[in-house]
């Protein structure tokens, strides 16, 4: 998208400011997209997330990012965020979390799709915990959402 998640957060929390950090073409589209009413409280920035992210945030929120990449790339990205976060800040990863049972779950099919196409994967809570630990974060909690995804919250370790 072009900042819909951040626009939703800013719309519901008028005291917050945010930064949309994405590829240049996404940032260009965001100027006239869902963030337009919030541009006075929002910074638009582009770059390579594997090189750096805008420093000094209280939270880094990623939706459908971690599942695109194999573990080594995820650990690198999470380390980049860990280096940039303010003391006492947090990491919010919004993705599917595979449950350990054998019950049907759309996340299990998405896991196969992610493996075949971009080379990523959906992860279990333990796999998220291991990624976070390797990158200097501590998994604090997993909050399921009605949309079938979860917010996986990390705190600096």
């Amino acid at each position: 998208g072009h900042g819909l998640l951040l626009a939703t957060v800013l719309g519901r929390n008028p005291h917050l400011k945010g930064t949309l950090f994405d590829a240049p073409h996404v940032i260009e589209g965001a100027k006239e997209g869902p963030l337009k009413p919030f541009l006075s409280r929002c910074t638009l920035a582009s770059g390579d997330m594997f090189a750096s992210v805008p420093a000094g945030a209280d939270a880094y929120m990623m939706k459908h990012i971690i599942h695109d990449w194999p573990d080594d790339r995820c650990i690198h990205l999470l380390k980049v965020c860990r280096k940039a976060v303010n003391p006492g800040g947090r990491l919010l990863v919004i993705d599917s979390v595979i449950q350990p049972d054998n019950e049907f779950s759309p996340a299990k099919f998405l896991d196969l799709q992610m493996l075949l196409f971009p080379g990523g994967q959906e992860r279990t809570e333990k796999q998220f915990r291991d990624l976070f630990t390797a990158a200097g974060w501590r998994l604090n909690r997993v909050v399921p959402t009605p949309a079938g995804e979860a917010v996986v919250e990390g705190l600096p370790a």
Side-chain angles (χ1 to χ4, degrees):
H2 290 101
L4 179 60
L5 176 60
L6 181 56
T8 302
V9 170
L10 294 176
R12 293 183 182 170
N13 299 278
H15 62 286
L16 293 181
K17 295 179 182 177
T19 299
L20 178 66
F21 181 72
D22 212 314
H25 72 278
V26 174
I27 295 303
E28 196 56 40
K31 293 176 183 175
E32 294 297 323
L35 278 171
K36 190 172 183 177
F38 307 104
L39 289 178
S40 65
R41 296 189 287 130
C42 183
T43 302
L44 303 177
S46 63
D48 176 1
M49 66 184 176
F50 290 105
S52 67
V53 296
D58 294 325
Y60 287 85
M61 179 171 57
M62 292 181 268
K63 183 177 179 185
H64 299 159
I65 302 294
I66 296 297
H67 78 162
D68 286 344
W69 305 97
D71 287 353
D72 61 330
R73 299 293 284 164
C74 290
I75 291 167
H76 179 78
L77 174 57
L78 296 176
K79 284 181 177 181
V80 168
C81 293
R82 177 64 184 91
K83 180 179 177 184
V85 72
N86 282 339
R90 59 192 66 232
L91 173 70
L92 304 170
V93 173
I94 303 162
D95 258 317
S96 297
V97 176
I98 295 178
Q99 298 304 307
D101 57 31
N102 287 326
E103 296 298 315
F104 170 79
S105 168
K108 293 175 182 176
F109 287 102
L110 186 56
D111 185 37
L112 291 173
Q113 181 181 0
M114 297 311 295
L115 179 64
L116 290 173
F117 297 109
Q121 68 183 70
E122 302 305 318
R123 293 175 170 86
T124 64
E125 182 174 333
K126 181 189 180 319
Q127 289 170 315
F128 273 109
R129 185 177 314 282
D130 292 345
L131 281 181
F132 282 25
T133 299
W137 296 94
R138 176 179 58 82
L139 193 146
N140 187 47
R141 62 184 173 153
V142 176
V143 181
T145 70
E149 297 158 334
V151 179
V152 184
E153 180 186 50
L155 301 174

